[in-house]
Amino acid sequence: MSGPLPRRIGLFQATSINMSQMVGIGPFVTIPLMVAAFGGPQAVIGFLAGAVLALADGLVWAELGAAMPGAGGTYIYLREAFQYRSGRLMPFLFVWTAILFIPLIMSTGVQGLVQYLTYLWPSMTTGQGDIVGLAVVALVVLLLWRRVESIGRITVVMWAVMIVSVVAVILAAFTHFHPSMAFTWPAHAVDLGHGSFWLGFASGLTIGIYDYLGYNTTAYLGAELKDPGRVLPRSVVYSILAVMVIYLGMQIGVLGVIPWHDMLDPNNVASQSVASAVLEKTLGKGAADVVTVLILITAFASVVTGLLGGSRVPFDAARDKVFFRSFAKLHPRHDFPVLGLLVMGAITAAGFVLARHVGTSATHPPLTVLIALLTTVMVIVQSFAQIAALLILRRRQPTLSRPYRMLLFPLPLVIAAIGWAVIYCYADKANPGIHPIEWSLAWVALGLISFAIWSRLEKIWPFGPKEIHEEFTLPQPEETPAP
């Protein structure tokens, strides 16, 4: 039997891991979407609001992860908290939803790649874009069809390319920066009494939190962190603050070079490839072409790393007998989870094509559709469920070691709950005709049916005994009566 994973990841490494997952293709493709949501350069509000929600929710992850530093993240927290009443239902549903929302995140990377490729290939048709995107997904799956050790070196190089891309865009923007363009807001830009502002705010918050996704990566590596009670909470907070500075620098810099109206014009290159437009305007077409290639590599890297980690989620759960056993099978030669990779690769491809053909690109850009769908699916069985899990565990497992307890409790919990509720409740209004709430509920309902089938086959609750196992609690003192 193999021993525990060695704890080798320190604070700097942990923060870097979070940041590498957070800064992918997102900032290169969402700036025009954020400007469209707010209707002007006041779009910076969206990135700030996203940071506040990420910080509040990050403190939920920090307390849970520091108390239960195992490999698995959310499904461990839900397993421990909800086992008393519903057995393994909640961790099963989390894995079920992760099989959808993780590939949808990867679909945004594929869409971002196709968007930026249009800068180099302006005559690309919709059909050609579909073929390119599907080819990218196939190439990623082929690349991951090998031992993980050989992939590590590739992802490090791709991460370095991403950093160079971000820095190049920010530096280029501030060499030709016009403060009046970035800081002159339209009249009534922030009219709190008008419903359109709050609708735009909800859309912007959804886009903003999408850009920060990845701040919880170290929670899934809890078994490998040095001093997780200290390292995990700090890695979450430090990575969010650092990425916020990067995003604000990029957003403000871009707005100081490209008129915000250009980002709303579907016929203008800035609406599809805003970073390329910045480089072309500041340093010329040659520099723009080079950075566009770097951004294409960044987009590709985000899909590679996302599917690499995502395919392990159902594998870990199945190995711990929380999901279908077939997902626990490894490739006989290369030791990677075959079914998880194939299923998530297929959903990534399907999500990419579906989003490109839903509605019209002007009314429902593919990225907006994907972000709306993935956030609504994620909110129910991860965001809301973890907030409940923290409260349940404080009551049910008082002896659980908590090296980090949420600062200013319960204020961050309330802020996180309100933020996720705004994103979820406004999803249909912000995306008319797409029905993300209905799709999310349908997927959860299908998950309940799947759980009923699985639990029947496995003969566990509700078709067998309910197993209560408090894996992380400390022993009760002898004089303390059992609860």
Side-chain angles (χ1 to χ4, degrees):
M1 180 180 294
S2 60
L5 294 168
R7 295 189 178 277
R8 296 174 177 171
I9 301 176
L11 177 59
F12 178 77
Q13 290 173 298
T15 305
S16 299
I17 288 171
N18 279 351
M19 290 181 64
S20 68
Q21 290 298 306
M22 294 166 74
V23 184
I25 189 62
F28 298 108
V29 294
T30 56
I31 291 177
L33 298 181
M34 192 72 84
V35 170
F38 280 91
Q42 68 271 26
V44 294
I45 296 172
F47 286 110
L48 289 172
V52 171
L53 176 54
L55 278 171
D57 190 61
L59 295 183
V60 176
W61 283 89
E63 177 166 328
L64 292 172
M68 293 170 283
T74 297
Y75 91 81
I76 288 180
Y77 315 149
L78 302 190
R79 182 193 68 197
E80 290 293 303
F82 292 95
Q83 61 182 326
Y84 304 99
R85 292 188 179 274
S86 57
R88 301 177 189 176
L89 171 62
M90 290 304 293
F92 180 96
L93 282 180
F94 163 71
V95 179
W96 177 263
T97 56
I99 285 178
L100 181 60
F101 73 72
I102 290 176
L104 289 181
I105 295 174
M106 300 310 102
S107 298
T108 65
V110 179
Q111 173 59 26
L113 186 151
V114 172
Q115 278 190 207
Y116 269 84
L117 186 59
T118 59
Y119 182 78
L120 303 177
W121 183 6
S123 62
M124 181 194 298
T125 64
T126 300
Q128 289 170 332
D130 292 346
I131 293 172
V132 169
L134 292 175
V136 167
V137 176
L139 180 59
V140 169
V141 172
L142 185 63
L143 183 64
L144 295 176
W145 202 270
R146 64 191 71 238
R147 288 185 179 274
V148 68
E149 291 86 355
S150 62
I151 299 169
R153 293 184 292 272
I154 299 173
T155 55
V156 169
V157 172
M158 291 179 175
W159 179 81
V161 171
M162 176 269 294
I163 292 296
V164 172
S165 304
V166 172
V167 172
V169 174
I170 293 175
L171 291 179
F174 280 97
T175 60
H176 292 68
F177 183 73
H178 300 283
S180 60
M181 293 173 59
F183 300 115
T184 302
W185 292 6
H188 309 295
V190 185
D191 186 354
L192 301 183
H194 203 284
S196 61
F197 170 81
W198 293 109
L199 185 60
F201 177 83
S203 299
L205 180 61
T206 304
I207 296 165
I209 196 62
Y210 159 77
D211 280 324
Y212 286 97
L213 290 181
Y215 56 84
N216 53 6
T217 303
T218 46
Y220 289 93
L221 302 173
E224 300 172 69
L225 297 180
K226 297 177 183 177
D227 189 10
R230 171 181 172 273
V231 168
L232 196 151
R234 294 187 181 193
S235 70
V236 171
V237 174
Y238 292 170
S239 61
I240 293 171
L241 294 177
V243 169
M244 180 184 69
V245 171
I246 292 172
Y247 284 169
L248 289 177
M250 196 167 173
Q251 168 87 30
I252 294 171
V254 167
L255 286 169
V257 175
I258 304 295
W260 64 269
H261 291 283
D262 290 353
M263 301 183 206
L264 306 183
D265 181 1
N267 297 317
N268 193 298
V269 67
S271 67
Q272 297 294 314
S273 312
V274 69
S276 303
V278 168
L279 266 296
E280 181 176 339
K281 191 168 184 177
T282 56
L283 301 180
K285 185 69 165 60
D289 289 345
V290 171
V291 172
T292 300
V293 171
L294 296 181
I295 293 172
L296 293 176
I297 296 173
T298 298
F300 185 78
S302 70
V303 181
V304 172
T305 56
L307 281 183
L308 172 64
S311 62
R312 270 65 180 171
V313 172
F315 165 73
D316 289 334
R319 187 180 54 181
D320 291 346
K321 300 179 181 179
V322 181
F323 204 61
F324 292 106
R325 294 183 184 183
S326 53
F327 282 88
K329 295 179 180 178
L330 294 173
H331 189 278
R333 288 181 53 200
H334 302 307
D335 293 330
F336 66 86
V338 177
L339 189 57
L341 178 59
L342 290 177
V343 169
M344 289 196 169
I347 295 176
T348 298
F352 162 74
V353 174
L354 179 64
R356 287 171 61 83
H357 294 274
V358 171
T360 63
S361 59
T363 306
H364 302 300
L367 279 170
T368 302
V369 173
L370 288 169
I371 292 171
L373 290 174
L374 73 90
T375 48
T376 49
V377 170
M378 181 183 70
V379 161
I380 301 176
V381 192
Q382 183 175 76
S383 307
F384 287 148
Q386 284 194 166
I387 291 171
L390 189 148
L391 295 173
I392 291 170
L393 288 169
R394 282 200 173 198
R395 180 172 60 88
R396 285 278 194 173
Q397 297 187 15
T399 62
L400 180 66
S401 176
R402 292 178 173 85
Y404 170 79
R405 294 178 72 91
M406 179 181 289
L407 185 68
L408 300 177
F409 177 86
L411 181 60
L413 214 64
V414 174
I415 293 173
I418 292 174
W420 291 120
V422 168
I423 287 174
Y424 192 79
C425 294
Y426 274 86
D428 277 359
K429 291 182 179 179
N431 300 274
I434 306 300
H435 308 294
I437 293 178
E438 289 82 352
W439 279 109
S440 67
L441 294 175
W443 186 256
V444 172
L446 190 58
L448 291 171
I449 295 171
S450 299
F451 175 77
I453 296 171
W454 174 76
S455 58
R456 180 75 176 181
L457 293 173
E458 296 290 335
K459 295 181 173 57
I460 63 169
W461 183 92
F463 301 103
K466 187 186 298 180
E467 300 175 5
I468 306 297
H469 178 58
E470 298 177 345
E471 181 179 344
F472 296 92
T473 54
L474 298 174
Q476 293 273 10
E478 290 185 4
E479 66 273 16
T480 302

